[in-house]
Amino acid sequence: MGSQRSAGRPSSGASLSMRTNNKLKRQALYVEQKKENDKTRHEERHRRRREEAKDPELRRQRLERNQTNTIEKKRVWDDVDDDKLGAVVDVSALKRRRLEEEEAKAAREADGVVDDEDNEDNDSMLGSDDEGKSDDDEDEDDEERMEKIRAQRAQRNPSLAPSTASTNLDLTPDSLAIEFKQLFGDVPLEFPKVLVTTSLNATIHKEAQEIAAIFPNSTYIRRTAHRYGHKYSVREIAKFAKNRGYTVLFVIGEDQKKPCQLTVVHLNGEDVAPGPTLTYTIRGYQPSKSLLGHGNPTNHYPELLLNGFKTPLGLLAAKSMYTLFPANPELSGRQVVTLHNQRDYIFFRRHRYIFREARKTEKNVTTADGSEMKGLEGIRAGLQEIGPRMTLKLRRVDKGIGKAGSEGEDALKWQWKAGMEKERTKFNL
C-alpha cells in the first residue's frame, strides 16, 4: 500500500518491493516508472514554455520566484544612523536614506511657508511685516526653494554604485574622511612607492618577491636576524622608508614556510605621523607557477577592481588598497587586479584579458537587468590568470605603526573578535 504523499503521481521506488518479490520484475518496473516520470516532466516543461512564449510576464515571475536564497541575500545590518568605523551599515543605503529625509524635510518646510503666507493673506485685519513684499519677491523665493529641492534630487543619483558589486569610494562618510585625512585626501598619489620586507629570519623570499612584483614601484629588502646584525624593528624600518620617499610599508609574516600575514603601514607625507596600519591574514596562497595555464606579468600599471566593500570599515580597506596602485593604469598592458570581498574574505586575483569574437554557442554580453549591451554584440572577453592567488581577511586596524607604535585611547581603531562570526548573516566589510 503506497503512501499518501504519492497520491496522484506514480509510486516511488520504495513501494516497488510491495508490488512484486521478483527482482527482475522490480527492475523492469523501475525503468518503466522512470520513463513515465521523465515524460511527465518533459511535457510540463514544454507546456510551460508555450505559455511563457505567449505571455513573457509568466517567465519573469517564475525567475523571480526561483532565485536562490543565499547568505548574502539574508545579510543583516545594524539599525543605527551611524557611519563611524566599525558600524555594520550599508553606506550607500544610509546616504540614500539621509537624502530622502532631507528632501522630505525641505518639502515640508516649503509647504509650511506657503501655508503661512496664505494665512497672512487671508487675515487682512492683522498688520503683517510682509505686506510690503511684492508678488515678484515671493515668486523668486519659491523659485529658490524649488532650485534647492532640484539640487538635492540631482544628488540622489539612482546608480550610486556603477554595479551591484563594485565599490564607490565617493560614498566615504565624512567621519571616516576626517579620521583618516591622509588616506582619504582629495588628490591621490600618482606614483606610490612600496617597500616590501618579511618577518625576522623568514625563508619565503621567492613568495615575498612575487607579492612585491604585483605593486608598481615596489622594492623588496630581506630582513635578517643574524647574531652579528642589527634586528631592525618595524618602526625603525618605517622611519627608514619614509625618509627615502616610500609611501607604504609591507611586512609579510611566515608560518610553515608559507605567507600567513600581511601588514600594510601607510607612511603618509612629511610632518605627518605614519598610519593607519591594517593587518590581514593570508590563506590559500598559490604562487603563479602552481596555476594551470598561467601568464607572465609585464611592467604595465594594472587596472584595479574593488568589489563588495559596503561598510565604513570596508571602504577603509578598499581605499587602503586603492592607494597602492598608480591612479592612471596603462590599458595597453590589459592587466587587471581584482579584490573581491565576500563574507569578509577578500579574494585577490590578477588576470590579463583579451577581446575576441564570440563563438556561435556563446551569448552576447548582458547588463545587470539581463538585456543585451549595445555596441558589444558578437564580442567576448577572455581571461588568463597571472597570479599569485590568495585570500585575505582583515584582523585589526591601528592608528599608528602596528600595535606597539600606536598611542592614545584611540590607538586601536578596530579589531576582529571571534564573537563577530556568531551571527552568520552579519559581516563587517
Side-chain angles (χ1 to χ4, degrees), residues 309-324:
F309 298 93
K310 297 183 178 181
T311 64
L313 182 63
L315 292 178
L316 175 63
K319 183 64 175 181
S320 173
M321 292 295 179
Y322 178 80
T323 57
L324 303 178

Side-chain angles (χ1 to χ4, degrees), residues 1-3 6 10-34 36-37:
M1 192 173 186
S3 62
S6 61
S11 60
S12 60
S15 62
L16 292 177
S17 60
M18 298 183 180
R19 297 179 62 176
T20 178
N21 294 328
N22 192 315
K23 180 179 179 180
L24 297 178
K25 289 186 177 180
R26 284 201 306 271
Q27 291 178 350
L29 287 172
Y30 175 76
V31 173
E32 183 180 351
Q33 178 183 353
K34 190 172 184 304
E36 186 176 353
N37 290 340

